[in-house]
Amino acid sequence: MRLRALLESDALGLRLLGGEDELDRTVRGVMTTDLRDPSRYLSGGELVLTGLAWRRTGEDSEPFVRILAQAQVAGLAAGEAELGDIPDDLVRACLRHRLPLFAVNEDVAFATITEHVVRQVSGERAGDLAAVVDRHRRLMTSGPAGGGPDVVLDLLGSDLDLRAWVLSPTGRQIAGAGQTALPGPVAAALAGEHLAASRTGRRGPHRATAGGTTYSLFPIRNNGRGATHASRDIRETVLSDWLLAVEADASDWPAARLDLLQGVTQLIAVERDRRDAARTVRRRLAQEVLELVQTGAAPAEIAARLRVAAPVLLPGLGTAPHWQVVVARVDWAAADGVTEVPGGPVAQALLEEVLVDPAVTGSDSSDRIAVAHSGDEAIALVPLPATAPAPLDPAGQDHGAGGPGGGLHADALLAAVREPLSAGLADDGRLTLGVSAAVHSAEGLRGALEEARHARRVAAARPGRVCAAGHHELASHVLLLPFVPDDVRRAFTARLLDPLRDYDRRHRAELIPTLEAFLDCDGSWTRCATRLHLHVNTLRYRVGRIEQLTGRDLSRLEDKLDFFLALRMS
């Protein structure tokens, strides 16, 4: 805004005392001070408000005004509440340094002037930024991206003092203002808040608090879905749409600023469309390989197709990598009168997002992920460096993402995204995922696909909204337990464990914990007694009581196995 505009506002009631020729100066902000030397807090272009508490004698005006002129402030407004009329020495000093001087009536609060200036300057900045955003949109839609979302976020920071980040539905940071990253837990919490709010059908922006800071969350719709996006079931898009997180409370923003932020989200959606288009080739290659594997094509034919895909899927990995298959499925509960939401495309978009996140996979694999969907499931073909598959530790557990062989591990894939995805799935959705072992040739892909599908079925038998299972679980009793009918499970566990539970309830004898520890110690009396801090004779008494109550013999392998399975199924 111009200084001249201050005189046009009747609410401010300012009187010009000097500097009429300088009223076209631009005001970029406002500062209130009574310091004798406020230079350290000035950056130029401010309207300085002062109550003249710094002035003790007439000689103080000259150095004060000189400091303001050197800082290139826009003008000075002095209040009359302290001294009455503005001193002549201050008027003369301002005239010498060509600094416009205003008198502020004692009935006008500095806060009123500050609010007026800030409102005007912010509105003009928003208008300028809107023009910049419009130009940037035309650049991005007519040719190569002009810097991507980061450029737009930098504009928000420099012109509107708004810190903002673009996040994926899992909380992965896609772009950030000034390259300042949001802490992982904060980003995940914001993504979860956004997904939960979107599932309720409320329109954005959504207000959320994370880490003691308030944010406004703006959905970024994928333009590539066309004009029918708004009419589609929210469950088809909620797990794939990006969001813009702004560090501010937008609940009291004027309509013009909200419209500007909506324009920013549309601009970022253009970049989203570009990235989706870049995945088209990889998706097609994955679909072709998947069809060959599922139709029982000869390994030589599959290998030939993989060689064609090598330049796209294997940059920097050589020509003979290991491969893993990941299968995901999103199921939605059917609602009365509502068409069932197709799960395949939703699972495909979600699996691409999970596998592209370095925090989840342990490496940046964004240019290698190939995901297809078949029916209600999504299938990812993931190339790995040509090294030995990641081993399991002695306890049979995964090493996590980025393990010794760089392989993907089921639990690690979903650990960081379970919270936000659960919010998006709400009460009627479910994500299950299975991961195969690594195979080193085309011959092994069919087996890997079946292994991943079987692991996903194991995950589906578990409780919870977001579940995963890995290949290592298929080689143990865990594979069998989920498929035992519920009535058989209940009868089996009741017959073996109910007598012990009843005894523990009446006598507080801790027979169940004793049984678990005894089996975990492979029937070793000494190790079990040490773990439970018991005398061996006390342990023998408890085990004898277990055998008496159940009619079983814990020295027999068959009875030990029955107790072990009962405990795992309970």
Side-chain angles (χ1 to χ4, degrees):
M1 65 176 293
R2 306 290 183 181
L3 275 176
R4 188 180 307 279
L6 295 173
L7 296 174
E8 298 171 355
S9 173
D10 295 334
L12 301 182
L14 299 180
R15 301 193 322 277
L16 181 65
L17 301 182
E20 185 174 358
D21 295 338
E22 304 293 333
L23 291 182
D24 286 329
R25 292 186 181 186
T26 300
V27 180
R28 296 187 177 88
V30 62
M31 175 192 178
T32 300
T33 183
D34 276 311
L35 295 174
R36 298 171 68 88
D37 180 4
S39 58
R40 71 182 68 179
Y41 304 109
L42 298 172
S43 58
E46 296 92 350
L47 173 67
V48 176
L49 305 177
T50 179
L52 300 177
W54 49 266
R55 183 184 179 278
R56 298 172 185 171
T57 69
E59 297 178 353
D60 293 333
S61 295
E62 171 64 26
F64 180 78
V65 173
R66 184 172 61 248
I67 289 171
L68 298 187
Q70 291 173 347
Q72 298 182 329
V73 302
L76 174 65
E80 296 178 325
E82 185 73 20
L83 301 178
D85 292 339
I86 304 302
D88 290 339
D89 50 89
L90 180 59
V91 176
R92 290 193 299 270
C94 288
L95 288 174
R96 279 194 297 273
H97 291 280
R98 303 178 63 84
L99 181 66
L101 175 63
F102 300 88
V104 183
N105 188 282
E106 62 181 350
D107 295 330
V108 178
F110 282 177
T112 302
I113 301 174
T114 300
E115 182 180 353
H116 177 85
V117 172
V118 169
R119 188 186 311 117
Q120 294 298 318
V121 171
S122 178
E124 292 175 2
R125 284 182 176 178
D128 293 342
L129 181 59
V132 173
V133 167
D134 186 61
R135 290 196 302 271
H136 199 70
R137 179 187 294 112
R138 290 197 297 269
L139 285 173
M140 292 184 71
T141 55
S142 62
D150 289 294
V151 172
V152 184
L153 300 186
D154 286 340
L155 287 173
L156 286 177
S158 62
D159 285 31
L160 290 184
D161 298 324
L162 291 176
R163 282 160 42 92
W165 298 263
V166 178
L167 304 177
S168 77
T170 64
R172 176 175 63 92
Q173 181 169 315
I174 297 165
Q179 305 302 318
T180 302
L182 275 176
V186 172
L190 293 179
E193 292 278 357
H194 167 72
L195 291 173
S198 297
R199 285 302 310 274
T200 65
R202 289 192 288 115
R203 296 186 61 183
H206 308 124
R207 186 178 182 275
T209 301
T213 302
T214 299
Y215 299 85
S216 295
L217 310 177
F218 295 79
I220 299 173
R221 304 300 186 191
N222 190 339
N223 295 334
R225 296 192 181 103
T228 61
H229 179 277
S231 62
R232 298 175 70 180
D233 192 312
I234 185 63
R235 294 175 296 180
E236 295 186 58
T237 60
V238 67
L239 296 178
S240 58
D241 281 339
W242 291 356
L243 68 136
L244 176 67
V246 181
E247 191 180 291
D249 186 352
S251 57
D252 58 351
W253 281 6
R257 177 169 286 207
L258 288 173
D259 288 344
L260 171 61
L261 267 294
Q262 295 296 347
V264 169
T265 64
Q266 293 170 14
L267 180 56
I268 295 172
V270 174
E271 175 66 15
R272 172 66 188 272
D273 293 342
R274 291 184 185 279
R275 298 193 185 190
D276 279 351
R279 289 176 174 173
T280 301
V281 174
R282 293 196 294 272
R283 286 174 173 173
R284 186 170 64 249
L285 290 171
Q287 195 73 45
E288 291 174 356
V289 173
L290 174 62
E291 290 175 358
L292 291 174
V293 170
Q294 292 191 123
T295 57
E301 186 177 357
I302 299 174
R305 173 52 56 187
L306 289 177
R307 282 194 295 272
V308 172
V312 177
L313 301 181
L314 312 177
L317 291 184
T319 58
H322 291 288
W323 299 90
Q324 273 184 288
V325 176
V326 182
V327 173
R329 178 169 174 142
V330 174
D331 294 291
W332 302 101
D336 294 339
V338 178
T339 303
E340 187 175 353
V341 178
V346 179
Q348 180 184 40
L350 188 56
L351 190 53
E352 285 175 336
E353 170 56 36
V354 170
L355 293 177
V356 83
D357 190 350
V360 174
T361 61
S363 64
D364 183 3
S365 54
S366 58
D367 59 348
R368 302 197 306 270
I369 298 303
V371 185
H373 71 84
S374 175
D376 287 332
E377 68 180 7
I379 302 167
L381 187 64
V382 183
L384 303 172
T387 56
L392 301 176
D393 65 22
Q397 300 297 316
D398 285 329
H399 288 276
L408 303 177
H409 303 277
D411 291 336
L413 279 177
L414 295 180
V417 300
R418 182 170 277 107
E419 181 179 348
L421 292 183
S422 296
L425 293 164
D427 295 328
D428 59 348
R430 195 152 189 264
L431 167 67
T432 52
L433 183 146
V435 181
S436 77
V439 296
H440 66 277
S441 66
E443 289 88 342
L445 280 180
R446 186 171 185 180
L449 174 59
E450 291 305 315
E451 190 174 55
R453 282 175 167 164
H454 211 103
R456 193 207 62 79
R457 287 194 289 270
V458 171
R462 295 172 175 167
R465 290 288 166 196
V466 179
C467 297
H471 58 88
H472 65 281
E473 299 184 57
L474 304 183
S476 72
H477 62 280
V478 178
L479 172 63
L480 301 176
L481 296 185
F483 304 101
V484 177
D486 288 342
D487 55 344
V488 176
R489 292 161 65 101
R490 285 192 295 269
F492 182 74
T493 57
R495 185 170 64 251
L496 281 176
L497 301 183
D498 279 1
L500 306 183
R501 294 192 181 106
D502 292 341
Y503 192 87
D504 282 346
R505 191 162 44 248
R506 293 195 308 269
H507 302 284
R508 298 181 181 179
E510 298 186 354
L511 296 184
I512 292 288
T514 300
L515 175 61
E516 291 175 334
F518 186 72
L519 295 175
D520 195 42
C521 292
D522 297 324
S524 169
W525 298 98
T526 303
R527 281 195 290 132
C528 184
T530 300
R531 174 182 295 188
L532 296 177
H533 306 289
L534 298 175
H535 192 278
V536 172
N537 288 340
T538 303
L539 175 61
R540 290 184 183 277
Y541 172 81
R542 289 188 182 181
V543 170
R545 178 64 67 182
I546 291 171
E547 293 174 333
Q548 179 184 5
L549 292 170
T550 60
R552 298 300 184 106
D553 182 357
L554 278 170
S555 65
R556 299 177 64 247
L557 176 61
E558 294 86 346
D559 288 341
K560 286 180 183 179
L561 180 59
D562 282 350
F563 277 122
F564 179 77
L565 293 175
L567 289 169
R568 294 302 296 266
M569 288 191 292
S570 62

